[in-house]
Amino acid sequence: MGDRTGQRFGGYTVGAHIADGSMGAVYEGRHDESGERVAIKVLHSRVARDAVAAERFRREYETAKSLQNPYIIEVRDFGETDDGADFMTMELLEGEELSLILAREGGLRPARTVRMLCQLALALHHAHADGVVHRDLKPDNIFVCSRPGGDEIRVLDFGSVKLQMETGPKLTMLGTILGSPYYMSPEQARGELDVDPRSDVFAQTSIMYELATGDVAFAADTIPDILNKIIGEEPPPVRIANTAYPWSFEDVVMKGLRKEKRERFGSSLELGEAMLSAFGLEPELERWARTPIEAIETAILSSAEEVPEPPSPPAFASSAPPELPTRDRRATVLAAGVLLAVLTALGAWLLLRP
């Protein structure tokens, strides 16, 4: 994985190395004519020799290029280096992957979650409307930029996409599981090929769960155990980890994680709107995606005062037997009983005397 800093290709000069991934390396770069700063992603040499990997990389570029949305990474150019490796250029972002934020901070406060999830719902809705299913949605593929009003996300890595009107070559073998195991839908975990936007809805909900709790919804030590949990188990309740989230949020999460896709929300928009309603907010995704976090927090608190939480379960009723009488009390009761018997007998005698 040689360092390409200082190389020139495709009208760009490669600058500092930013990051490495399994497929390629990312560098800061600059366009030679315009001077625009960009990110340059270059396939590793060993990956570039793999025809399937190279095609996935090209598809990632073509898909992202077609999806013009403020919450999806913007790509610029595609080309080949002097030694035959494919590269693409993208907008240069300052921030970090959502996975790093969750690892450092754990569960987030509701207002921050609301803003990010609204942006994610809008990004996915845009992709799905263009017939694109991401199939590998995860915190590693969500880049978070800091803005004056709060977080602003970009969805990354469309190399695993499924096109609803598939025209290009198939990039996976029959039965191959494609995607990150923690965020796979049950149908992906079973290796099914019938994947549609509701698989992304499942992953979207898994991320929603993790934003609230700081924990992966279906955690296990091995891939088979992870997949078995996804297919057959439910995650622990959100409120065990974070009581700042209302019970209504729990209901939304449970529906989004249904094992049968026909029982989930039908779209990313439906999930996003249900999430807003759970906090008592108007289901206006565009509005809350741009609203400053502090204003969202104020709106959530105001709504919580107007719509109280469901009542707590009734107090446990004791089944202890009644208190047994003491010795003195037993004596008093006995004396009263004798007196009553005497009075009754005396009354009967007076009535019956001639």
Side-chain angles (χ1 to χ4, degrees):
M1 301 183 187
D3 187 1
R4 293 182 178 273
T5 299
Q7 293 184 10
R8 296 180 65 184
F9 44 75
Y12 293 90
T13 299
V14 181
H17 177 265
I18 297 175
D20 266 313
S22 59
M23 296 256 315
V26 181
Y27 298 85
E28 183 177 342
R30 190 177 296 273
H31 192 274
D32 292 338
E33 292 185 5
S34 68
E36 179 189 19
R37 296 172 65 217
V38 297
I40 304 176
K41 184 175 181 180
V42 188
L43 277 184
H44 295 313
S45 298
R46 58 175 176 76
V47 177
R49 293 190 291 270
D50 185 308
V52 172
E55 181 59 33
R56 278 188 61 190
F57 189 69
R58 177 177 290 275
R59 176 170 292 190
E60 177 184 353
Y61 167 77
E62 292 174 346
T63 303
K65 185 73 172 176
S66 70
L67 297 175
Q68 300 297 313
N69 182 272
Y71 307 118
I72 294 175
I73 186 70
E74 182 181 347
V75 300
R76 305 278 203 273
D77 295 315
F78 189 91
E80 189 176 289
T81 67
D82 294 339
D83 56 356
D86 289 335
F87 75 89
M88 74 171 80
T89 63
M90 305 167 284
E91 61 177 322
L92 182 63
L93 301 172
E94 294 185 5
E96 59 185 332
E97 289 86 359
L98 178 58
S99 56
L100 297 178
I101 294 174
L102 290 168
R104 183 177 64 248
E105 302 181 23
L108 305 182
R109 56 178 170 151
R112 196 175 179 192
T113 292
V114 165
R115 181 176 161 109
M116 279 198 273
L117 287 176
C118 286
Q119 296 170 6
L120 179 58
L122 291 169
L124 290 175
H125 174 68
H126 182 80
H128 294 161
D130 271 17
V132 173
V133 182
H134 192 287
R135 292 205 299 181
D136 193 20
L137 199 63
K138 56 185 177 180
D140 281 339
N141 285 338
I142 298 174
F143 197 88
V144 182
C145 307
S146 180
R147 296 289 186 262
D151 304 302
E152 186 173 287
I153 72 162
R154 297 289 191 279
V155 178
L156 312 175
D157 193 358
F158 284 84
S160 301
V161 298
K162 176 181 185 294
L163 304 181
Q164 294 298 88
M165 299 297 290
E166 192 80 67
T167 56
K170 303 295 183 183
L171 302 184
T172 55
M173 298 174 60
L174 183 65
T176 298
I177 294 175
L178 183 60
S180 301
Y182 288 118
Y183 306 94
M184 283 183 181
S185 64
E187 54 271 22
Q188 286 175 289
R190 290 190 291 263
E192 298 174 6
L193 300 180
D194 184 21
V195 173
D196 63 26
R198 290 169 293 183
S199 293
D200 281 352
V201 167
F202 188 94
Q204 181 184 356
T205 311
S206 296
I207 293 170
M208 179 187 298
Y209 179 94
E210 193 168 346
L211 285 170
T213 65
D215 298 321
V216 174
F218 302 98
D221 294 330
T222 67
I223 290 179
D225 287 342
I226 294 168
L227 300 183
N228 285 333
K229 281 193 171 186
I230 289 172
I231 292 170
E233 297 184 21
E234 303 295 338
V238 169
R239 284 176 62 91
I240 288 179
N242 195 340
T243 57
Y245 287 78
W247 286 110
S248 47
F249 181 89
E250 191 89 53
D251 295 337
V252 174
V253 168
M254 289 300 100
K255 182 172 180 179
L257 294 179
R258 293 280 174 83
K259 307 305 181 185
E260 296 297 328
K261 62 184 179 181
R262 66 176 180 274
E263 298 177 359
R264 295 174 210 146
F265 294 99
S267 71
S268 59
L269 281 189
E270 285 184 25
L271 173 58
E273 290 170 351
M275 180 269 300
L276 288 172
S277 296
F279 286 106
L281 304 176
E282 292 295 323
E284 300 170 4
L285 292 166
E286 292 274 5
R287 169 189 170 190
W288 298 110
R290 297 190 303 266
T291 300
I293 289 177
E294 298 305 324
I296 297 175
E297 193 161 74
T298 299
I300 290 174
L301 291 175
S302 175
S303 174
E305 292 173 358
E306 297 174 5
V307 184
E309 282 281 284
S312 301
F316 176 71
S318 173
S319 59
E323 182 184 356
L324 294 175
T326 62
R327 180 188 300 269
D328 291 342
R329 186 179 172 194
R330 287 199 301 268
T332 302
V333 171
L334 179 60
V338 172
L339 178 60
L340 180 60
V342 170
L343 292 175
T344 301
L346 178 61
W349 177 77
L350 289 174
L351 288 173
L352 295 174
R353 62 184 291 194

